Amino acid sequence: MAITRHIFRAALNWALPERCPCCGTITPAGGPFCVDCWQQLQFLAPPWCHGCATPFEYDRGADSYCAACLAKPPKHDGIRAAGKYDDLSAKVALRLKYSGKIGLARVIAQQLARHLPEDRENIIITPVPLHWTRMWSRSFNQSALIGRAPSAQSGIAFVPDILVRHKRTPSMRGLNAKGRRKAVGQAFSVHPKWRDRLKGSRIILIDDVLTTGATSDGCISVLKRNGASWIQLFCWARALRGESAEQK
C-alpha cells in the first residue's frame, strides 16, 4: 500500500504544474522557486568556519575556526548546508518528507552540488537512515533521495545502506539538546557487510536539515568508530548558532 501511494504521488507531482516549494505559487519555467521566495531564502557560502561552516562576517582565511569549534572541536570534518534553517527553508524539507513532493530532493541536491569537494578520491555518499517502520509508512527516505542526485552528477559512489537505524526514536520536536542526544543514543550501527570496508574511507553524510546535530553526531560517532577517516555533513538547511529551531 505504501509503495502504491508513493507511485501515485510521484505521478501526480509530474502531471501538475511546477509550484514554489515555499509558498505554492505556480512558478515560471526554468526555476523551482518563485522570485519572492528565492530572494528571501538565505543561502550559505564562504567565508565560514573551517570546522562547522558557521558564516563569518568577513574572510578570516580558509583554515579559520570559530570560537565554539576552538573550544570544542566537532566530531565531523565540516558542514555543507545549502541555506539557513528558518520558517521558509523548513517548508521545503517538510513538503519533501511529509507531502511526498519527492521532486524537491533533486532541487535540494542541485543546491548542494556546489559544495562537493574537488578531491573526490575514496569518497562515499550515504544518507542518515530511517527506521524500517518509518520507511514502511513513508515509502522513501528523503535523505537517500537527496543523496542520489549529486552522486549521479559527480560520479561519487552512493551507498544507501552503510548505516542501520535499529531503534525507532520519538519525535524530536520540543526536546532540548540533551533530550535529543538521549533519544538517538545507541540508535545507529554500521551494517555488518561494511564494518571491514570503512577503514580510511571518506564519507559525505546526507540529511535533510540540521538543528542541534544530535542525529548526525550519532551517525558520525558510529562511522568513525568503524574506521571512517573523514566525514562531512551535507544538508538542505541548518540552524545557526544562537538561533532556536525545532528538530524535524
Side-chain angles (χ1 to χ4, degrees):
M1 182 63 72
I3 295 174
T4 302
R5 290 198 307 269
H6 171 65
I7 295 172
F8 176 75
R9 286 197 302 257
L12 193 62
N13 289 340
W14 180 265
L16 292 175
E18 284 285 339
R19 291 182 177 273
C20 174
C22 297
C23 69
T25 300
I26 295 178
T27 58
F33 297 93
C34 72
V35 174
D36 288 343
C37 290
W38 178 260
Q39 292 176 341
Q40 292 179 61
L41 286 167
Q42 298 185 48
F43 292 103
L44 301 179
W48 53 26
C49 169
H50 184 68
C52 69
T54 295
F56 288 148
E57 292 183 0
Y58 59 90
D59 192 350
R60 304 181 187 179
D63 296 328
S64 296
Y65 290 85
C66 67
C69 285
L70 288 171
K72 185 180 179 181
K75 296 179 180 180
H76 54 69
D77 297 278
I79 298 171
R80 298 294 180 263
K84 173 186 171 182
Y85 185 86
D86 55 19
D87 290 343
L88 199 61
S89 62
K91 289 179 181 178
V92 180
L94 292 172
R95 283 176 174 158
L96 167 60
K97 184 154 55 174
Y98 297 120
S99 298
K101 304 293 185 181
I102 60 174
L104 293 178
R106 176 177 47 81
V107 173
I108 291 171
Q110 288 172 344
Q111 297 302 320
L112 290 176
R114 60 193 167 96
H115 294 312
L116 291 173
E118 293 184 7
D119 176 12
R120 298 171 184 178
E121 184 178 356
N122 200 28
I123 291 184
I124 301 170
I125 296 175
T126 196
V128 170
L130 289 181
H131 190 264
W132 71 267
T133 56
R134 285 204 168 97
M135 273 293 293
W136 178 258
S137 62
R138 195 178 299 168
S139 77
F140 64 89
N141 177 354
Q142 70 280 356
S143 298
L145 292 178
I146 294 169
R148 288 184 187 276
S151 170
Q153 294 169 9
S154 66
I156 298 174
F158 174 74
V159 183
D161 61 346
I162 291 178
L163 288 166
V164 178
R165 193 171 195 147
H166 49 77
K167 173 184 173 183
R168 176 163 179 163
T169 53
S171 172
M172 300 290 186
R173 293 180 183 275
L175 294 179
N176 58 23
K178 182 178 179 180
R180 292 171 180 175
R181 286 193 299 269
K182 183 178 179 180
V184 299
Q186 308 301 313
F188 303 100
S189 65
V190 168
H191 193 289
K193 71 180 180 182
W194 283 97
R195 286 176 186 159
D196 296 327
R197 300 165 64 183
L198 283 181
K199 298 190 186 306
S201 63
R202 302 166 68 207
I203 304 291
I204 290 177
L205 181 66
I206 303 286
D207 205 355
D208 53 355
V209 299
L210 172 71
T211 54
T212 65
T215 299
S216 57
D217 278 355
C219 293
I220 290 165
S221 295
V222 168
L223 289 168
K224 290 214 167 182
R225 282 201 303 269
N226 282 269
S229 62
W230 176 95
I231 302 170
Q232 280 195 344
L233 176 64
F234 276 51
C235 58
W236 159 242
R238 60 164 299 182
L240 300 180
R241 283 198 176 98
E243 298 183 9
S244 60
E246 287 192 337
Q247 180 81 359
K248 33 201 186 234

